[in-house]
């Protein structure tokens, strides 16, 4: 019986294991030791956290982004007598993502840095749990072609896209004829009621204080500007084959309904749950089945009102000007979504470093989009070159605004 259990365990590579998604993934897996085992972990710089994970899960591989961090982790693993092999660098991350012994890849590396490993997993035909929205925002149709050619199974982990996926028919071939609209919900972040004229005074600490979700600093700022929702609109377009005009966003402050699908008969199917990322993670790991996630259940007896707000009033367009850029870039030449993503990463980093004001993030994105001429990327090298060019321009805009 023991041998049988070992054979049916899914071997998982968790890319970005020290971030919030990675930590939650390991917590869910730890609840089901007979179903999953950790084959590989990857992280950027957090050696101490990675070491703790290596002690607990003893993966075959642990990957650090750079050689200095890799050497330090290797030294500490050796001192503890751990069997884990420590490697480092972009190629090493792609190696574990495409390894022949890996069944499932959790892609949770933040930003465009995760694109190469997502492509490697897609081409190797893995079950790819996509928490890195930039793979689709940057890679677009090029990334989807890699998924199709490799025979990979792409499952969304963002709570909104997982909710849409759970609300759609099982057969993707009928989506186009049955679906009228995809409705993504947004909490509105920490500044939903703030006077738009005061946004110039927002501090990084205020922007990172999300009312409902515990997230990393970059995605917390994106939630405060609503750029996370703009990126999610782009992701939904590629994931579900929806036309830009079929995707709608509504503010839902309680974060109970994670997204909805409106069918052609005007019925609406919604997915509800507590604001806990362990729910979509557990669904991605266990699909097409379900298993315990460890998240708290909704208590409808104690639940208050569920409310919704349009972006057309109450100053929301002034608070969140970046949201409409999603539809702008989807109707622009191919590659424009990658430009927006690169500009936003530079802008958010500059804000967190105190180089620009919170309200200038949108200006960086807008000016960069206006300055970069794109053509359809045909290779990873094309995508990386476009990303680099866009970042250089965005940094120029940051220097001008901060002067």
């Amino acid at each position: 019986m023991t041998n049988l259990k070992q054979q049916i365990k899914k071997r998982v590579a968790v890319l970005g294991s020290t971030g919030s998604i990675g930590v939650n993934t390991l917590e869910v897996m730890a609840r089901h030791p007979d179903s999953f085992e950790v084959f590989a972990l990857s992280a950027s710089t957090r050696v101490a956290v990675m070491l703790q994970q290596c002690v607990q899960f003893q993966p075959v591989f642990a990957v650090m982004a750079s050689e200095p961090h890799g050497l330090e982790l290797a030294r500490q693993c050796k001192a503890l007598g751990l069997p884990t092999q420590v490697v480092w660098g972009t190629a090493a991350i792609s190696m574990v993502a495409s390894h022949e012994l890996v069944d499932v890849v959790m892609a949770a590396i933040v930003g465009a840095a995760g694109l190469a490993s997502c492509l490697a997993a897609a081409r190797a035909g893995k079950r790819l749990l996509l928490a890195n929205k930039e793979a689709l925002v940057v890679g677009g149709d090029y990334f989807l072609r890699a998924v199709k050619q490799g025979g990979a199974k792409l499952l969304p982990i963002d709570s909104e896209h997982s909710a849409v996926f759970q609300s759609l028919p099982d057969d993707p071939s009928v989506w186009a004829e049955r679906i009228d609209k995809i409705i993504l919900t947004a909490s509105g972040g920490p500044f939903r009621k703030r006077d738009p004229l005061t946004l110039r005074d927002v501090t990084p600490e205020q922007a990172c204080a999300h009312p409902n979700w515990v997230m990393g600093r970059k995605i917390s700022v994106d939630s405060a500007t609503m750029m996370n929702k703009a990126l999610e609109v782009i992701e939904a377009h590629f994931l579900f084959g929806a036309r830009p005009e079929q995707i709608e966003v509504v503010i839902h402050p309680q974060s109970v309904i994670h997204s909805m699908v409106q069918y052609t008969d005007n019925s609406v199917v919604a997915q509800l749950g507590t604001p806990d990322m362990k729910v979509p993670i557990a669904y991605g790991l266990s699909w097409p089945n379900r298993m315990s996630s460890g998240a708290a259940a909704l208590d409808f007896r104690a639940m208050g009102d569920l409310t919704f707000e349009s972006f057309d009033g109450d100053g929301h367009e002034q608070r969140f000007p970046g949201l409409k850029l999603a539809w702008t870039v989807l109707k622009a030449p191919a590659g424009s979504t990658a430009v927006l993503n690169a500009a936003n990463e530079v802008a958010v980093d500059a804000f967190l470093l105190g180089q620009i004001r919170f309200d200038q993030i949108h200006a960086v994105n807008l000016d960069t989009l206006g300055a970069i001429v794109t053509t359809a990327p045909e290779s990873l090298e094309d995508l990386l070159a476009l990303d680099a060019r866009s970042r250089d321009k965005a940094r120029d805009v940051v220097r001008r605004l901060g002067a």
Side-chain angles (χ1 to χ4, degrees), residues 222-261:
D222 281 348
S223 180
T225 62
M226 294 295 286
M227 271 304 301
N228 73 317
K229 208 55 54 176
L231 298 177
E232 287 169 14
V233 168
I234 296 167
E235 188 179 7
H237 162 73
F238 288 115
L239 270 174
F240 307 118
R243 301 187 306 276
E245 60 271 19
Q246 286 183 291
I247 306 170
E248 182 180 320
V249 175
V250 297
I251 291 181
H252 170 50
Q254 295 82 16
S255 295
V256 171
I257 297 177
H258 296 300
S259 280
M260 298 170 274
V261 173

Side-chain angles (χ1 to χ4, degrees), residues 185-392:
T185 58
S187 69
F191 307 135
R192 181 173 64 89
K193 292 295 186 182
R194 183 159 175 152
D195 182 347
L197 297 178
T198 69
L199 291 176
R200 62 179 292 125
D201 302 320
V202 165
T203 66
E205 290 69 28
Q206 291 170 330
C208 290
H210 195 282
N212 298 340
W213 298 90
V214 177
M215 305 179 291
R217 284 168 66 81
K218 194 269 181 184
I219 193 172
S220 294
V221 175
D222 281 348
S223 180
T225 62
M226 294 295 286
M227 271 304 301
N228 73 317
K229 208 55 54 176
L231 298 177
E232 287 169 14
V233 168
I234 296 167
E235 188 179 7
H237 162 73
F238 288 115
L239 270 174
F240 307 118
R243 301 187 306 276
E245 60 271 19
Q246 286 183 291
I247 306 170
E248 182 180 320
V249 175
V250 297
I251 291 181
H252 170 50
Q254 295 82 16
S255 295
V256 171
I257 297 177
H258 296 300
S259 280
M260 298 170 274
V261 173
Q262 181 173 307
Y263 285 78
T264 51
D265 62 359
N266 286 333
S267 64
V268 176
V269 177
Q271 187 266 341
L272 286 71
T274 52
D276 190 326
M277 286 305 299
K278 288 193 285 291
V279 174
I281 288 168
Y283 183 65
L285 286 168
S286 62
W287 179 89
N289 302 311
R290 292 185 183 265
M291 66 184 189
S292 169
S293 66
L298 283 177
D299 184 352
F300 287 93
R301 296 167 300 179
M303 190 182 299
D305 294 335
L306 300 182
T307 61
F308 303 90
E309 302 168 10
S310 167
F311 277 95
D312 297 332
D314 198 28
H316 290 324
E317 288 186 282
Q318 289 73 43
R319 289 186 188 92
F320 311 120
L323 178 62
K324 288 191 173 181
L325 291 178
W327 290 272
T328 300
V329 295
L330 284 176
K331 295 175 182 178
S336 298
T337 57
V339 176
L340 176 60
N341 179 76
N344 186 63
E345 286 190 18
V346 170
V348 170
D349 187 55
F351 165 68
L352 290 172
L353 292 172
Q355 297 171 349
I356 59 173
R357 301 191 311 266
F358 179 81
D359 63 324
Q360 291 177 319
I361 293 174
H362 178 60
V364 174
N365 294 337
L366 203 58
D367 287 5
T368 304
L369 278 171
I372 300 293
V373 177
T374 65
T375 56
E378 296 295 335
S379 66
L380 176 59
E381 290 71 27
D382 287 349
L383 287 168
L384 295 178
L386 177 59
D387 179 78
R389 192 155 50 94
S390 302
R391 289 173 189 274
D392 287 343

Side-chain angles (χ1 to χ4, degrees), residues 18-20 23 43-51 53 64 69 73:
T18 61
S20 60
V23 169
S44 178
T45 61
R46 302 178 68 185
V47 172
V49 179
M50 176 64 99
L51 181 65
Q53 293 177 346
M64 299 302 295
H69 293 102
L73 178 65

Side-chain angles (χ1 to χ4, degrees), residues 112 115 119 132-146 234 238 334-335 337-338 341 377-380 383:
L115 178 58
L119 282 166
N132 173 295
K133 62 173 60 69
E134 289 81 8
L136 278 168
V137 173
V138 177
D141 289 325
Y142 177 76
F143 176 68
L144 289 179
R145 286 197 297 272
I234 296 167
F238 288 115
T337 57
N341 179 76
E378 296 295 335
S379 66
L380 176 59
L383 287 168

Side-chain angles (χ1 to χ4, degrees), residues 92-140:
I93 299 174
S94 294
M95 179 273 292
V96 298
S98 58
H99 199 285
E100 62 180 1
L101 295 180
V102 169
D103 302 303
V104 181
V105 175
M106 169 58 77
I109 296 175
V110 175
L115 178 58
S117 54
C118 283
L119 282 166
R123 288 169 176 150
K126 305 303 182 185
R127 173 180 292 197
L128 180 53
L129 310 186
L130 193 65
N132 173 295
K133 62 173 60 69
E134 289 81 8
L136 278 168
V137 173
V138 177

